[in-house]
Amino acid sequence: MGVKVAKFGGTSVADVGQIRKVEAIIKADPERRYIITSAPGKRSRTDSKITDLLYLCHTHVQQDVPFKEVFSIISKRYIKIVYDLDLSLDLAPHLEKIKKEISGGATADYTASRGEYLMGLILADLLGYAFVDPFQIIHFDKNECIDMEQIHESMGTILKKHPRAVIPGFYGSTCDGEVKTFSRGGSDITGALVASGVEAEIYENWTDVSGLLMADPSIVENPKPIDTITYRELRELAYMGAKVLHDEAIFPVKEAGIPVLIKNTNRPDDPGTVITKDAAPVSHKGTITGIAGKKDFTVIVIEKALMNTEVGFGRRLLTALEANNISFEHMPTGIDTISLVIEDKQLVHKLDKVLAEIKAECQPDSLEVYPNMALVATVGRGMIHTPGIAARIFTALHRADVNIRMIDQGSSEINVIVGIENSDFKQAIRAIYKAFVK
Ligand code: ASP
């Protein structure tokens, strides 16, 4: 029998109604053998996520303020879930222990991790699956990075012993024996690590949307869903703000060549989006996969005659950024010009200093600053070796009266980025979408 790893996000386990959907999904396919769960998320827009409430408990203790009331909201939510599911599981001793540990000054990571821990106990009980604490199988090395080698070893000795198991997401253990969490949304990473560790045939990521859309629905009306996207395309779109999976979740599955399927717990029959190998075929050449963008960049344009003959020019320029702890996003170049595209927030209180240092170090003929810029990326493996793609993008922008200030095409040919004014942002995305999607 094959092995599928299925991860369910916070909204999928927010209350009994949602958990019943999760149960039905798991029972519908016996190959769904390893289940990763988030902590219960919001039940409505005004509700709180359990993880946020747990962090709040920790902050209260740090400030020497009683946290009993916040903790009782958490306890009540879990107790209600157990009651509504009609389980005989007794959570009281677990809740008592956690409360005691939080009041005794437990770390923020430990405290936050209990949301997933408790949800894991409940789901394991409901499904009749083994409960495996990720403390035993997800490891961080002494630099607090994922320790892949040890993870694989533990999965082989601990997890694979269980034909079916529930594993709480979001945390693991350090080499000092402490609980450590990933960054927020990190249960996606747990799922990817488990999928890689058990050599799953697929990693299903169940959430509250039916996969990725070709553009942001708040900008483009009713954008088409993306049925297949490669890891690399996803990375490009995610970098530009299209979020459906934690950034760090891609790497473990990509390395192992395991496809990821994004599915909607509330609409399980929707096909969802498959994230697959970079070499995945594309149905039509000349098509795009998606469009995404980000606002609020500053472009610094440095011009100097015969820049190309000046040894060390680039290094001196970048030293001015490094000295001010600034990273850049893109660096398009001309013969005698270099542009640096930098997020506005990185330049707060630093711009004048950086400009002065560039002047002193590089002695440019001119130095110009363009604030309020946006970047829009058109991404697609269907663009590779296809003439006319850039022309279509630029014609669309021209017709929409959008002035292009910068153009950058990655050498992989799956991405064309244009720099435009912030105020043209939505207009540009709509125009490009219309040019490619009929
Ligand atoms: N519960 C954690 C969070 O809210 C992790 C997750 O849901 O993936 O960030």
Side-chain angles (χ1 to χ4, degrees):
M1 196 197 307
V3 179
K4 290 181 180 167
V5 168
K7 179 255 164 179
F8 292 87
T11 51
S12 301
V13 292
D15 61 20
V16 67
Q18 291 301 93
I19 297 168
R20 288 285 183 213
K21 291 180 193 167
V22 168
E23 183 187 16
I25 290 166
I26 296 168
K27 289 198 169 150
D29 185 346
E31 294 192 346
R32 292 188 177 120
R33 289 170 38 191
Y34 296 103
I35 311 300
I36 318 300
T37 182
S38 283
K42 291 186 181 192
R43 291 160 292 186
S44 66
R45 280 183 56 189
T46 52
D47 196 16
S48 301
K49 289 181 175 187
I50 287 288
T51 310
D52 291 333
L53 295 174
L54 286 163
Y55 278 122
L56 199 59
C57 288
H58 176 74
T59 315
H60 275 63
V61 175
Q62 294 296 100
Q63 305 294 325
D64 236 346
V65 175
F67 73 101
K68 251 178 38 205
E69 277 172 28
V70 186
F71 194 79
S72 105
I73 300 174
I74 298 170
S75 302
K76 280 190 189 141
R77 232 175 120 181
Y78 281 106
I79 287 166
K80 178 163 168 46
I81 289 176
V82 171
Y83 177 81
D84 288 346
L85 289 171
D86 207 11
L87 301 176
S88 52
L89 175 70
D90 184 9
L91 273 193
H94 295 280
L95 289 164
E96 262 320 298
K97 183 168 179 268
I98 293 168
K99 191 172 164 192
K100 224 169 121 194
E101 278 162 339
I102 297 176
S103 74
T107 62
D109 280 22
Y110 174 85
T111 307
S113 74
R114 296 304 90 183
E116 270 71 12
Y117 174 83
L118 291 167
M119 194 57 228
L121 290 175
I122 296 174
L123 214 50
D125 197 73
L126 174 71
L127 298 167
Y129 280 26
F131 171 85
V132 175
D133 193 331
F135 189 86
Q136 298 181 286
I137 55 168
I138 303 288
H139 305 283
F140 295 91
D141 65 19
K142 55 181 185 316
N143 300 318
E144 309 222 313
C145 296
I146 293 168
D147 187 340
M148 217 51 212
E149 212 173 296
Q150 232 207 305
I151 290 175
H152 275 265
E153 204 183 304
S154 297
M155 298 231 177
T157 52
I158 299 168
L159 191 57
K160 281 191 185 163
K161 269 197 209 134
H162 302 284
R164 295 174 187 281
V166 171
I167 304 121
F170 193 37
Y171 70 96
S173 56
T174 65
C175 19
D176 303 328
E178 297 285 329
V179 165
K180 179 174 162 49
T181 60
F182 294 111
S183 56
R184 293 301 303 266
S187 299
D188 285 347
I189 311 173
T190 314
L193 291 170
V194 170
S196 150
V198 301
E199 294 154 61
E201 71 196 44
I202 194 159
Y203 169 31
E204 295 179 341
N205 194 291
W206 291 82
T207 175
D208 52 9
V209 289
S210 298
L212 269 119
L213 299 172
M214 286 189 71
D216 181 343
S218 69
I219 298 175
V220 171
E221 208 187 310
N222 241 339
K224 281 195 179 167
I226 299 174
D227 50 11
T228 307
I229 186 168
T230 64
Y231 301 121
R232 197 186 287 165
E233 288 172 310
L234 179 68
R235 173 88 184 107
E236 301 278 355
L237 287 174
Y239 158 76
M240 280 291 180
K243 283 272 177 303
V244 71
L245 196 68
H246 193 294
D247 279 350
E248 290 167 53
I250 294 294
F251 299 102
V253 274
K254 180 178 174 179
E255 235 171 73
I258 299 168
V260 183
L261 177 58
I262 309 287
K263 291 278 282 180
N264 188 347
T265 301
N266 303 317
R267 298 173 62 101
D269 294 331
D270 284 359
T273 300
V274 185
I275 308 165
T276 179
K277 288 203 281 281
D278 288 331
V282 57
S283 46
H284 295 291
K285 275 223 159 288
T287 55
I288 62 166
T289 303
I291 310 160
K294 280 205 280 200
K295 286 163 84 170
D296 301 327
F297 291 91
T298 293
V299 181
I300 302 176
V301 182
I302 302 103
E303 188 169 355
K304 187 170 187 184
L306 300 177
M307 176 190 285
N308 58 320
T309 62
E310 201 176 310
V311 175
F313 187 88
R315 180 185 48 76
R316 286 200 296 282
L317 178 62
L318 297 183
T319 304
L321 294 190
E322 193 177 348
N324 288 285
N325 201 22
I326 292 170
S327 64
F328 66 92
E329 306 295 312
H330 299 273
M331 191 170 62
T333 58
I335 300 171
D336 289 332
T337 59
I338 293 186
S339 304
L340 294 170
V341 183
I342 300 169
E343 281 178 315
D344 283 353
K345 63 173 185 253
Q346 292 219 47
L347 289 169
V348 178
H349 307 308
K350 290 183 180 172
L351 182 61
D352 291 344
K353 188 161 176 269
V354 172
L355 294 178
E357 284 174 29
I358 293 177
K359 268 188 195 153
E361 287 288 328
C362 304
Q363 308 197 332
D365 297 336
S366 74
L367 192 55
E368 279 168 46
V369 178
Y370 299 97
N372 305 323
M373 299 276 292
L375 299 178
V376 172
T378 307
V379 174
R381 62 197 184 284
M383 288 158 46
I384 301 177
H385 304 317
T386 313
I389 296 282
R392 255 159 100 183
I393 296 173
F394 302 146
T395 307
L397 293 175
H398 164 68
R399 290 205 179 118
D401 208 17
V402 172
N403 183 29
I404 304 172
R405 303 284 288 271
M406 187 205 85
I407 301 165
D408 194 359
Q409 178 178 20
S411 47
S412 59
E413 258 195 272
I414 63 161
N415 197 359
V416 175
I417 296 175
V418 291
I420 54 172
E421 303 275 342
N422 266 347
S423 53
D424 285 332
F425 184 66
K426 289 187 175 173
Q427 184 75 346
I429 292 181
R430 286 185 198 127
I432 299 172
Y433 183 85
K434 244 176 76 188
F436 285 93
V437 185
K438 300 287 163 241

